[in-house]
Amino acid sequence: MDMLIELSQGFRNTLAIFFITLVLAMPLGFVVMLLKKSRFKPISLLTTFYISVMRGTPLMLQLMFVYFGPYYLFGLSSPDRFRAAIVAFVFNYAAYFAEIYRGGFEAIPRGQLEAAEVLGLSKAQTFFKIQLPQVMKTVMPSITNEVITLVKDTSLAMVISVSETFIIAKAMAAREASMSPYLAVAVFYYAMNYLVAFIMDRIEKGLNYYR
């Protein structure tokens, strides 16, 4: 019981990183996708470069850059550790979500959009009635994989000493010379991922209205 009480602060921070990242990164990813598809080339190229950097470098390195970068590059004080973790996670996952959304929209046959235009549907009607339902159904498995990965990636916040679950368990294991804290953390992550997979599966089944 004492071990779980000590780990509880880490559990709270882990859940906070997970939920805040999810709430901010998913809509930001949609904005990033629109910017990448922009007809204004400088914006499109800049967004493409941003996505390439986010996907091409380790999240651990991005966390260190966000936290230590202001001090080493500009002589500014480092930001709050938790906020730095949120910024790094949100911008990293927004890039991945943007590519998932883009793939979903590009999978829609061009003929459907032309048919909607012939039927006199506005762009808004075409988006909400034709494109969005199909995209959500198409991308849900990929989004589920990213969300599950996010659960596990929260442990990377330890590199900038955020008091998340894993860093507390590591300190406890070293202090007590026991694997019990690691076992508790493993159960926590497994249970969280099981719950996430269950919820996402229910959402995916709820989208079966479109076949």
Side-chain angles (χ1 to χ4, degrees):
M1 182 59 71
D2 290 340
M3 178 180 65
L4 293 178
I5 292 174
E6 190 170 348
L7 285 171
S8 63
Q9 178 61 45
F11 293 156
R12 287 195 292 270
N13 284 340
T14 294
L15 290 172
I17 293 172
F18 172 76
F19 284 113
I20 295 174
T21 299
L22 205 58
V23 168
L24 297 179
M26 292 189 74
L28 180 59
F30 191 81
V31 174
V32 171
M33 179 205 69
L34 294 178
L35 292 176
K36 183 175 181 178
K37 292 168 68 68
S38 172
R39 294 180 181 179
F40 186 57
K41 277 295 181 182
I43 290 180
S44 177
L45 291 174
L46 186 62
T47 306
T48 300
F49 177 71
Y50 152 71
I51 293 174
S52 177
V53 170
M54 291 296 103
R55 298 173 70 194
T57 58
L59 176 55
M60 182 183 294
L61 183 62
Q62 294 167 25
L63 282 159
M64 297 175 70
F65 183 85
V66 171
Y67 182 68
F68 295 108
Y71 176 78
Y72 288 111
L73 295 177
F74 308 108
L76 302 174
S77 58
S78 296
D80 175 79
R81 296 177 191 274
F82 184 81
R83 292 179 182 177
I86 293 298
V87 169
F89 272 93
V90 168
F91 278 92
N92 178 276
Y93 272 85
Y96 283 93
F97 283 131
E99 287 299 279
I100 291 173
Y101 297 150
R102 184 180 64 83
F105 277 99
E106 292 184 353
I108 299 175
R110 178 66 186 172
Q112 292 190 20
L113 305 183
E114 294 173 350
E117 187 176 353
V118 170
L119 291 171
L121 297 180
S122 66
K123 289 185 178 180
Q125 288 175 318
T126 301
F127 176 79
F128 286 107
K129 293 184 177 181
I130 296 177
Q131 291 178 290
L132 192 58
Q134 295 183 70
V135 168
M136 292 306 297
K137 173 64 176 175
T138 302
V139 305
M140 192 53 63
S142 297
I143 289 179
T144 299
N145 288 336
E146 283 303 312
V147 174
I148 289 174
T149 299
L150 172 59
V151 173
K152 294 178 287 186
D153 277 353
T154 55
S155 63
L156 293 176
M158 68 174 291
V159 301
I160 55 174
S161 300
V162 173
S163 296
E164 50 73 51
T165 305
F166 190 78
I167 197 171
I168 293 177
K170 183 179 179 181
M172 291 177 63
R175 184 183 70 227
E176 300 174 6
S178 170
M179 287 294 293
S180 297
Y182 288 132
L183 180 59
V185 169
V187 172
F188 167 76
Y189 278 113
Y190 177 78
M192 191 172 171
N193 267 327
Y194 183 87
L195 181 60
V196 166
F198 176 79
I199 293 173
M200 298 302 285
D201 181 64
R202 299 296 296 179
I203 294 174
E204 188 174 346
K205 288 180 178 177
L207 294 173
N208 281 338
Y209 59 82
Y210 181 86
R211 297 180 184 274

